[in-house]
Amino acid sequence: MPLTSLPSPVSGASALGMTLTALVMVLTPGPNMIYLVSRSISQGRAAGLVSLAGTGVGFVVYMLMGNLGLAVVFVAVPWLFIGFKAAGVLYLAHLAWQALRPGGRGMFEVRDIPRDGPARLFRMGLVTNLLNPKAAIMYLTLIPQFIDPHRGHPTAQGLTLGSVQIAVSLTVNALIVVAAGAIAGFLGRRPSWASVQRRITGTLLGAVTLLLAREVPARARA
């Protein structure tokens, strides 16, 4: 007797929309990308991948909390959600300034960072993602927009869409981790290109800061 596949809790359009949204978010520089690139360059690909595992767990934490009650907390205490987003936006603004200021460094420029063991690398990847405003807004503001109440099971839809986001993010970031060393070497031999990369990174960070700043006053939805 042939096995029949279980129907997906989300529509194809929602899955595609979530994939494209996650792709745009992960390709825009932010705390996760900057941390992963810096670790990959300073300690090698293995360290970058261990750090990436930590960020992956951070996404899972957000996904579970976003679907199992964190939104309710932020609805009940709206200033908490607004304050969290404001702090994240300020952090992104700081990263943008660090890239654009005179004498600033780009993401792929080699810098001295203390070597950390696997446990600390994993932990720092996790903490960096938990404090990432893009992750918070993704799970508490963007993903709910792809949930179709007419299909029922909003929790199942949220978990499915969150899994799509995590798969896209981990895949893209893994490719960045693997290529970080080669990109750093390429830019190191071409100082003018490194300067252009720094300005592009800073400009993108600044643009994301402005876009997320518009979301700061918005309250969480139950």
Side-chain angles (χ1 to χ4, degrees):
M1 180 178 177
L3 295 176
T4 57
S5 60
L6 294 175
S8 172
V10 299
S11 66
S14 293
L16 178 60
M18 185 71 258
T19 299
L20 295 176
T21 301
L23 188 60
V24 170
M25 293 289 280
V26 73
L27 288 176
T28 305
N32 286 351
M33 184 183 292
I34 291 175
Y35 177 71
L36 293 172
V37 167
S38 65
R39 278 301 167 193
S40 300
I41 293 174
S42 64
Q43 280 189 246
R45 295 173 181 173
L49 292 174
V50 172
S51 300
L52 177 59
T55 65
V57 172
F59 279 129
V60 172
V61 170
Y62 263 118
M63 181 176 67
L64 294 178
M65 290 195 302
N67 284 282
L68 301 176
L70 182 62
V72 175
V73 175
F74 282 137
V75 168
V77 191
W79 63 264
L80 185 62
F81 186 44
I82 293 173
F84 183 89
K85 290 189 293 182
V89 166
L90 289 175
Y91 180 50
L92 283 179
H94 169 72
L95 293 178
W97 167 245
Q98 289 298 312
L100 291 174
R101 67 181 176 83
R105 287 179 176 269
M107 273 197 309
F108 293 95
E109 293 183 57
V110 179
R111 65 200 73 184
D112 291 329
I113 299 178
R115 296 181 68 85
D116 292 326
R120 180 171 174 79
L121 289 170
F122 181 91
R123 186 166 63 251
M124 288 302 298
L126 171 62
V127 171
T128 299
N129 200 16
L130 291 179
L131 297 178
N132 183 0
K134 292 201 300 179
I137 289 176
M138 171 71 73
Y139 280 92
L140 299 173
T141 303
L142 295 180
I143 286 182
Q145 297 181 21
F146 293 97
I147 294 177
D148 183 358
H150 299 294
R151 295 181 71 92
H153 305 293
T155 299
Q157 292 187 59
L159 292 174
T160 301
L161 292 169
S163 297
V164 171
Q165 184 273 328
I166 292 173
V168 171
S169 180
L170 292 184
T171 300
V172 172
N173 277 315
L175 294 174
I176 292 173
V177 164
V178 170
I183 295 174
F186 176 84
L187 294 176
R189 296 187 296 271
R190 297 166 177 80
S192 61
W193 287 44
S195 177
V196 171
Q197 179 269 326
R198 179 168 57 82
R199 290 191 177 91
I200 291 174
T201 298
T203 301
L204 288 174
L205 283 169
V208 173
T209 300
L210 293 176
L211 289 174
L212 295 185
R214 297 174 55 189
E215 295 288 337
V216 168
R219 300 189 176 195
R221 296 183 300 171

